Amino acid sequence: MAIRNNKPAIVMMVINKALLPAVVLATIIIITARHSVQETVSVANLLSNKILIVHCRSGDGDDLGGHAVAAGDTLSWSFEPSVVGRTLFRCKLAVEDRRISFVAYEQYEEAFSGNWIVRDDGVYGNPNHLPTFLMAAWKRPSTA
């Protein structure tokens, strides 16, 4: 009985070794195809004649720097999502004494990807997917 149980295991090892190059090649093709996809995030300033300060950074610590975005203008950037793990961008917005922090892009999360509109009452998410929603309202810094 023990010999019969070992034979299928030996056959499976031979099959796995024979298929290994094909599996590796297929994995490389899938990763390359997925990696070449460009994503774009945009933050549109629709505030009433106010300059918006936008400062974003990735979850890996890549700092996109601070940008002054004039009323009616849009800040956008493109990138390739991570092949392994999860790509993430967080942004901090400031106008006068009001602040908002939010997730501007999170890989695999539809609610946190794409385009953002900044208005006098806050940040609206995904204008390409109706309906838009108020993602975050402005906060004033607390004074203690």
Side-chain angles (χ1 to χ4, degrees):
M1 271 310 233
I3 294 173
R4 288 178 68 195
N5 288 336
N6 287 336
K7 284 184 180 177
I10 293 170
V11 171
M12 288 302 292
M13 285 176 42
V14 171
I15 291 173
N16 287 341
K17 285 183 182 179
L19 290 177
L20 184 60
V23 170
V24 169
L25 180 60
T27 303
I28 290 170
I29 291 170
I30 290 168
I31 288 172
T32 303
R34 183 174 167 217
H35 189 62
S36 64
V37 173
Q38 284 276 319
E39 294 285 343
T40 299
V41 174
S42 65
V43 179
N45 179 358
L46 296 184
L47 294 167
S48 303
N49 292 321
K50 295 175 185 156
I51 292 177
L52 174 68
I53 305 300
V54 180
H55 193 150
C56 301
R57 73 177 61 221
S58 74
D60 295 337
D62 295 327
D63 191 342
L64 302 181
H67 299 272
V69 182
D73 286 349
T74 300
L75 172 70
S76 63
W77 66 95
S78 296
F79 55 92
E80 292 180 358
S82 175
V83 176
V84 293
R86 182 171 283 208
T87 302
L88 175 74
F89 282 95
R90 288 190 172 98
C91 294
K92 293 180 180 180
L93 309 180
V95 60
E96 297 172 343
D97 65 339
R98 297 176 291 169
R99 308 281 184 268
I100 292 179
S101 295
F102 71 102
V103 175
Y105 178 88
E106 185 172 1
Q107 193 171 356
Y108 311 121
E109 297 290 335
E110 283 215 18
F112 299 115
S113 62
N115 305 307
W116 303 94
I117 296 174
V118 181
R119 295 190 173 131
D120 290 322
D121 58 342
V123 176
Y124 287 79
N126 286 349
N128 291 335
H129 303 284
L130 296 177
T132 60
F133 62 94
L134 180 63
M135 191 337 208
W138 289 106
K139 296 179 184 172
R140 295 188 188 277
S142 60
T143 55

